[in-house]
Amino acid sequence: MRERYRNFSAAVYFTIGDLERYADPDLLAEKVEFLQEHIKCNKVYLETFRGAHIIEKETILRAKEFFAGRGFATAGGITPFAGEGWRFQSFCYTNQEHLAKLEEVVAFTAGIFDEIILDDFFFTNCKCESCIKAKGEKTWSQFRIELLEKVSREVVLKTAKRVNPGIKMIIKYPNWYEYYQNTGYNLEAQPEIFDLIYTGTETRNPMYTQQSLPRYTGYFLLRYLENVAPGRNGGGWFDTFDCLYNLGSYVEQAYLTLFAKAREVTLFCAGLLFSRGSIFLPLAGHVFDRVDGFLGKTGAPVGVSCYKPYHSSGENYLHGYLGMLGIPLEPAAEFPAGSGLVLLTAGAARDSGIVDKMKEHLLRGKKVAITSGLLRALQDKGVEEIAEIRDTGKKVMVQEFAYPPYECSFGNYYQAAKPILIPQLEFATNDTRQRIVGFGPQNNFPVLLEADYGPGMLYVLTIPENPGDLYALPAEVLDEIRRVLTADLDVRLEGPANVGLFVYDNNTFIVESFLPYFSDIKIVVEKKNAGLVDLVSGEEIRGQTVGERSIFTIKMEPTTYRVFQY
């Protein structure tokens, strides 16, 4: 058996192009030796189909034999992609020729491997005349999730099991989780059809790429899919694209995938890892070795419960922005009725019963925090029965903030790094209270509201028109938001944005700085006379007891993390 990491396994994906490029066994042996020098890789995924190109059987059998003879586990990979280059054109799943090709590829691959992963091109963006006719009066989303559910069951699974009854089939989901339903990814039905699911944890650059994904998204999405299919989320997968400009972005993908407790990490792909100066494999190996040294000391991830229903979207990737504020999230596709505070973003409006669920939760004496986007989506749909708060549809630019209110006045004034455009919310004075406000000319506007409902408490958090402006809020305002949203946790952060907090159920946590400069971060532990131990260095850190809590100040180097137990 190959040497492996204690707390996860590592795999590398070989595309058809990689397998054909390294078809010479001597060249492949040289590349695999380089791989083995840097990471404890114990599995390879060998691709049989991509972009209308199916591999020669002799080539794939030779590759499988090569790796199996060296102790690697082997699995097949299929990329159902019909386009060329970087135009992502899917199969047409109303086209019988395309369906026949998919069946052929699945049968071919299932005849070779006992495990197959579908790369995250198993979606449909086809709007040919055939698809338009088949869609009828349905929305594109409804048509596509039903279509792909049927294809998953009747073509992919049925074919694979017929050829190889013991085969394990895996569907990999991409990182763009807000739009799964728009292209046919059916997160409600497909995990019950496939044996395992898999998670794309790529985040790359959140600003200068077409995918504007806050870096925390890699952690968030793996946790979300783990809770969709407990115990059957096979692992996390990331690549090197758009990482050469900043190698730290590649390293962060690795950190976040492992902090989320991925069972396996797959590196895409061999050709990219063996080229581009060959820097990525040493980087990945360094991360894997370091994280494996402490990951077993951390427990199960915990965080602020948040609810994102199946097939929902709204306030695009806001969870990632909130995570970048140091608010740890634990997402679910079912309403977490048994938890404490529940955070709801605009996507929760997909659940037609969400207002009733909010009421029930509040009447149990619990807390619900909703965003201004969800307030807008639920306006005149029952949310006013909880609190009379409205989005006026107007916007206002604010830069100065204050909290908390003292009777009729404010204290603690703070300036943001820049003017921030926010929606204007109206509320019933004295029925609803302002926890944080922003100031405009001769006026003030709510940033965080609270209102009683039975024994419970509703919070409404105003989200800037550009959610990236959350990072520009004064640290003191962020501290108050964290204080409210993480009240159920024993640990929270104080300080600037772009610092992540990852909390586990055994008094351990990780603080990661995404900042490009040195920063001082305060850690607040809700226990008197608590102590901190750095689980990597063994350093014991003394704090200051203030009332019933302990406060620690740590210095974070740029783009680094620290692991603690309290």
Side-chain angles (χ1 to χ4, degrees):
M1 180 177 291
R2 299 196 58 75
E3 185 180 8
R4 57 178 294 163
Y5 301 102
R6 296 187 300 270
N7 297 291
F8 55 90
S9 59
V12 170
Y13 191 95
F14 283 72
T15 66
I16 286 181
D18 297 335
L19 293 172
E20 293 176 341
R21 186 178 302 113
Y22 305 122
D24 181 329
D26 291 335
L27 177 59
L28 183 57
E30 175 188 326
K31 296 300 182 181
V32 171
E33 182 179 350
F34 175 69
L35 169 67
Q36 292 173 289
E37 286 177 4
H38 295 289
I39 68 171
K40 300 171 185 175
C41 178
N42 55 287
K43 183 177 182 180
V44 290
Y45 291 93
L46 307 177
E47 189 175 70
T48 62
F49 180 84
R50 175 180 292 259
H53 176 39
I54 191 166
I55 200 166
E56 293 289 337
K57 189 170 186 178
E58 181 181 347
T59 302
I60 193 69
L61 288 174
R62 187 167 57 243
K64 180 185 178 185
E65 181 181 2
F66 174 93
F67 284 105
R70 287 163 172 76
F72 290 86
T74 61
I78 298 174
T79 303
F81 169 51
E84 295 182 1
W86 291 104
R87 186 172 185 273
F88 294 161
Q89 182 58 53
S90 73
F91 273 30
C92 172
Y93 294 104
T94 64
N95 181 311
Q96 292 305 311
E97 290 184 6
H98 283 203
L99 290 172
K101 172 58 72 174
L102 179 62
E103 184 175 347
E104 174 194 349
V105 170
V106 170
F108 173 77
T109 311
I112 298 171
F113 296 99
D114 292 327
E115 179 178 283
I116 299 173
I117 191 169
L118 294 181
D119 190 3
D120 59 17
F121 283 87
F122 185 47
F123 63 83
T124 175
N125 59 7
C126 185
K127 289 184 178 177
C128 70
E129 291 183 12
S130 173
C131 286
I132 293 171
K133 181 178 179 181
K135 180 183 83 72
E137 298 301 315
K138 298 175 182 176
T139 66
W140 279 108
S141 293
Q142 187 61 38
F143 165 67
R144 285 169 168 172
I145 61 175
E146 292 176 0
L147 177 63
L148 266 294
E149 178 185 356
K150 181 178 179 181
V151 172
S152 298
R153 195 185 308 276
E154 298 299 323
V155 179
V156 176
L157 264 293
K158 183 177 287 186
T159 301
K161 300 290 185 181
R162 171 175 53 81
V163 173
N164 184 349
I167 199 165
K168 183 184 294 182
M169 296 297 294
I170 308 169
I171 180 171
K172 180 202 166 195
Y173 288 103
N175 50 7
W176 32 277
Y177 67 90
E178 288 281 4
Y179 295 105
Y180 283 171
Q181 62 282 350
N182 299 79
T183 53
Y185 279 115
N186 191 330
L187 203 57
E188 185 173 20
Q190 285 175 324
E192 299 305 315
I193 297 172
F194 288 86
D195 298 292
L196 293 174
I197 63 175
Y198 221 88
T199 309
T201 55
E202 308 95 337
T203 51
R204 309 177 185 119
N205 186 300
M207 183 172 176
Y208 293 107
T209 60
Q210 292 191 48
Q211 296 178 322
S212 298
L213 301 172
R215 287 171 283 182
Y216 182 86
T217 302
Y219 176 91
F220 173 88
L221 182 55
L222 199 138
R223 295 307 309 157
Y224 183 52
L225 294 188
E226 176 63 29
N227 289 322
V228 164
R232 296 191 298 114
N233 185 9
W237 161 321
F238 56 90
D239 57 41
T240 66
F241 295 120
D242 298 310
C243 293
L244 276 172
Y245 78 99
N246 177 5
L247 295 176
S249 63
Y250 183 74
V251 169
E252 285 171 357
Q253 292 180 127
Y255 288 152
L256 294 171
T257 303
L258 293 173
F259 292 171
K261 293 298 182 88
R263 296 172 178 82
E264 179 179 274
V265 182
T266 294
L267 305 180
F268 183 93
C269 62
L272 297 175
L273 296 169
F274 296 153
S275 62
R276 297 194 173 188
S278 303
I279 187 63
F280 292 108
L281 276 174
L283 281 173
H286 173 71
V287 172
F288 291 172
D289 285 337
R290 284 203 61 182
V291 176
D292 195 43
F294 65 77
L295 198 61
K297 300 176 184 178
T298 61
V302 295
V304 178
S305 296
C306 56
Y307 171 41
K308 177 174 168 51
Y310 296 112
H311 317 313
S312 64
S313 62
E315 294 181 303
N316 281 2
Y317 308 111
L318 180 59
H319 309 98
Y321 289 99
L322 295 174
M324 295 293 285
L325 302 183
I327 300 170
L329 302 177
E330 186 65 9
E334 305 285 349
F335 188 88
S339 64
L341 183 144
V342 175
L343 174 64
L344 304 174
T345 59
R350 167 79 186 185
D351 183 344
S352 60
I354 188 60
V355 172
D356 288 337
K357 290 174 182 175
M358 289 167 59
K359 289 178 181 177
E360 290 171 10
H361 201 68
L362 292 166
L363 289 173
R364 293 192 192 102
K366 304 296 183 66
K367 299 174 182 178
V368 175
I370 70 172
T371 61
S372 51
L374 180 58
L375 176 72
R376 186 181 310 121
L378 297 180
Q379 204 150 282
D380 301 319
K381 296 181 180 178
V383 71
E384 63 278 358
E385 296 175 17
I386 300 175
E388 293 183 299
I389 308 170
R390 295 185 61 82
D391 183 334
T392 66
K394 302 174 184 178
K395 319 294 179 190
V396 63
M397 196 74 78
V398 295
Q399 189 167 6
E400 187 176 30
F401 299 83
Y403 81 91
Y406 293 105
E407 297 296 336
C408 297
S409 62
F410 298 102
N412 304 321
Y413 292 83
Y414 305 100
Q415 291 287 324
K418 55 175 284 190
I420 298 173
L421 186 65
I422 64 172
Q424 291 187 29
L425 306 186
E426 288 182 347
F427 61 95
T429 301
N430 292 327
D431 179 66
T432 297
R433 299 170 297 279
Q434 296 189 92
R435 188 85 177 237
I436 304 172
V437 300
F439 294 97
Q442 303 300 311
N443 209 342
N444 64 72
F445 303 89
V447 172
L448 183 64
L449 292 167
E450 63 179 18
D452 301 302
Y453 187 80
M457 182 72 74
L458 174 74
Y459 298 101
V460 180
L461 177 63
T462 302
I463 302 298
E465 292 299 291
N466 171 11
D469 284 344
L470 286 166
Y471 305 160
L473 288 172
E476 296 84 357
V477 171
L478 293 175
D479 292 344
E480 183 69 3
I481 293 171
R482 296 179 187 120
R483 189 176 296 117
V484 169
L485 295 185
T486 64
D488 294 332
L489 301 177
D490 287 337
V491 61
R492 60 182 167 84
L493 299 182
E494 291 185 351
N498 288 300
V499 179
L501 176 64
F502 308 90
V503 182
Y504 304 89
D505 66 356
N506 63 342
N507 291 5
T508 60
F509 62 94
I510 300 170
V511 179
E512 179 173 6
S513 174
F514 299 99
L515 294 166
Y517 49 80
F518 285 87
S519 56
D520 287 331
I521 305 297
K522 287 185 178 179
I523 298 169
V524 180
V525 176
E526 296 292 338
K527 293 183 182 296
K528 194 174 183 179
N529 299 318
L532 277 189
V533 177
D534 186 311
L535 291 181
V536 174
S537 68
E539 176 190 3
E540 296 185 7
I541 302 172
R542 299 175 65 87
Q544 179 183 10
T545 296
V546 179
E548 297 299 315
R549 58 181 58 94
S550 302
I551 301 176
F552 306 83
T553 300
I554 61 170
K555 185 173 289 292
M556 296 293 298
E557 296 182 10
T559 62
T560 59
Y561 65 85
R562 295 187 68 178
V563 189
F564 298 103
Q565 184 166 35
Y566 64 88

